Amino acid sequence: MTRHFLRDDDLSPREQGDILALAEQVKIDRWGRKPLGGPQTVAVIFDKSSTRTRVSFAVGIADLGGSPLIISTANSQLGGKETASDTARVLERQVALIVWRTYGQEGLTEMAHGTQVPVINALSDEFHPCQLLADLLTIREHKGELAGLTVALLGDGANNMVHSYLLAGATAGMHVRVACPDDYLPLADVVADAEKIAASTGGSISILNDPAAAVAGVDVVVTDTWVSMGKEDEKAERLTSLGGYKVDAAMMALAKPDAIFMHCLPADRGFEVDADVIDGPQSVIWDQAENRLHAQKALMVWLLEQAA
């Protein structure tokens, strides 16, 4: 059966754990698996500019014996004359997987509905599930078992990283706290879905206004850029509204002494996080960035096994 990875709750708790365990294995034995040998081709489609996503998927596909085909929608018919489902039907006859970094989630849903090969959400405005697999892998490396850990996310609660942390963290049995202003709340339906998952895994979801209360005693502190792609015209307003949610040394001191700091990058140093935090001893952002490679390789191996 063809499985897709469009949002974090496409995986059950057991499946999420299996992929993370596989990621740990492929990180140790980087070239030990070649499911894309041939080489088979993987279409990697970009609506948005990228560094970590482009590099980690291209390198990961090559590591798995395959050939990455990088496609810019600006130089294709996708999003212009051709629908996502029609594009998918063309691609599925020639590629083993489709990876798409895009804007609206609805395009990914349409593409997955129209194809027989796995479709991976490499980022959408609503979710960033591949990043969360990398984040969870990083937390496991530094903290061990995920279930029962508490993570605090500060800043814009309506962005894709928060939505994915809510779903993936709940799936892992974690306690997820989001601190944001009322004008930047996460989507209500995503919160409801996460709460439903948490009720079955022993995790919990908390949406707060007070960043200090959110960070108090946590194991992991997370932030993201306050000005995501496509929202540059809101920069001045966002910097004013979110200024109280900056992660600085005083904020980190409220977490557990051995708490780790995470940021998916790119970071606006001095805005959502101070340089002494991002470069400090509690920061694990470079492990986090590297783990995009290993987590996505594990995901691709797992999806190909499900389709076999």
Side-chain angles (χ1 to χ4, degrees):
M1 180 182 72
T2 303
R3 293 285 299 273
H4 306 289
F5 189 53
L6 308 186
R7 45 185 276 169
D8 307 81
D9 54 353
D10 284 339
L11 301 176
S12 70
R14 179 175 181 178
E15 289 169 343
Q16 182 193 76
D18 288 346
I19 291 171
L20 293 175
L22 179 57
E24 292 172 337
Q25 295 173 19
V26 300
K27 186 171 183 176
I28 293 170
D29 185 11
R30 179 168 169 178
W31 294 280
R33 293 174 179 264
K34 301 291 183 183
L36 292 171
Q40 298 181 63
T41 300
V42 176
V44 190
I45 308 170
F46 289 93
D47 293 356
K48 297 184 177 185
S49 59
S50 168
T51 298
R52 278 149 294 277
T53 298
R54 183 183 297 267
V55 172
S56 58
F57 267 111
V59 172
I61 291 161
D63 283 0
L64 296 176
S67 176
L69 174 62
I70 307 298
I71 301 171
S72 168
T73 49
N75 298 315
S76 74
Q77 301 295 349
L78 177 61
K81 294 181 178 180
E82 192 163 65
T83 65
S85 57
D86 285 354
T87 297
R89 293 183 69 180
V90 172
L91 292 176
E92 71 177 359
R93 296 183 176 218
Q94 302 176 64
V95 304
L97 296 142
I98 300 171
V99 180
W100 192 7
R101 180 180 172 93
T102 187
Y103 290 93
Q105 187 76 12
E106 65 276 1
L108 285 155
T109 301
E110 179 186 346
M111 183 169 280
H113 183 71
T115 184
Q116 300 299 311
V117 300
V119 175
I120 296 173
N121 177 1
L123 175 142
S124 70
D125 288 344
E126 289 85 359
F127 303 102
H128 202 350
C130 289
Q131 181 66 59
L132 257 292
L133 288 177
D135 283 21
L136 294 181
L137 176 61
T138 306
I139 296 169
R140 274 173 58 132
E141 289 177 340
H142 288 270
K143 293 292 179 185
E145 179 65 34
L146 296 174
L149 294 176
T150 302
V151 55
L153 297 99
L154 276 61
D156 180 4
N159 79 356
N160 50 16
M161 280 296 292
V162 170
H163 293 152
S164 278
Y165 255 103
L166 288 167
L167 296 178
T171 300
M174 300 175 73
H175 303 291
V176 182
R177 302 176 185 171
V178 177
C180 60
D182 286 338
D183 290 341
Y184 294 85
L185 292 170
L187 292 171
D189 61 333
V190 176
V191 174
D193 289 343
E195 288 174 338
K196 183 176 180 181
I197 296 169
S200 67
T201 62
S204 65
I205 303 298
S206 302
I207 311 298
L208 309 167
N209 292 131
D210 183 354
V215 172
V218 302
D219 302 284
V220 184
V221 179
V222 182
T223 193
D224 190 11
T225 181
W226 292 342
V227 187
S228 298
M229 282 181 283
K231 302 191 183 212
E232 290 81 4
D233 59 337
E234 303 174 16
K235 183 171 183 176
E237 177 186 345
R238 285 173 168 267
L239 295 182
T240 298
S241 300
L242 298 169
Y245 294 83
K246 177 193 287 190
V247 181
D248 55 18
M251 191 71 74
M252 285 299 300
L254 300 175
K256 288 182 178 178
D258 63 348
I260 58 175
F261 170 77
M262 304 182 73
H263 192 306
C264 67
L265 302 175
D268 291 323
R269 291 166 177 261
F271 291 97
E272 74 270 9
V273 57
D274 277 350
D276 60 348
V277 173
I278 205 166
D279 295 324
Q282 292 174 280
S283 175
V284 297
I285 62 168
W286 309 119
D287 293 342
Q288 183 184 0
E290 178 191 341
N291 281 337
R292 288 289 300 276
L293 171 65
H294 311 300
Q296 289 163 185
K297 285 174 64 177
L299 173 66
M300 289 187 283
V301 170
W302 188 85
L303 287 171
L304 290 167
E305 289 175 348
Q306 305 309 302

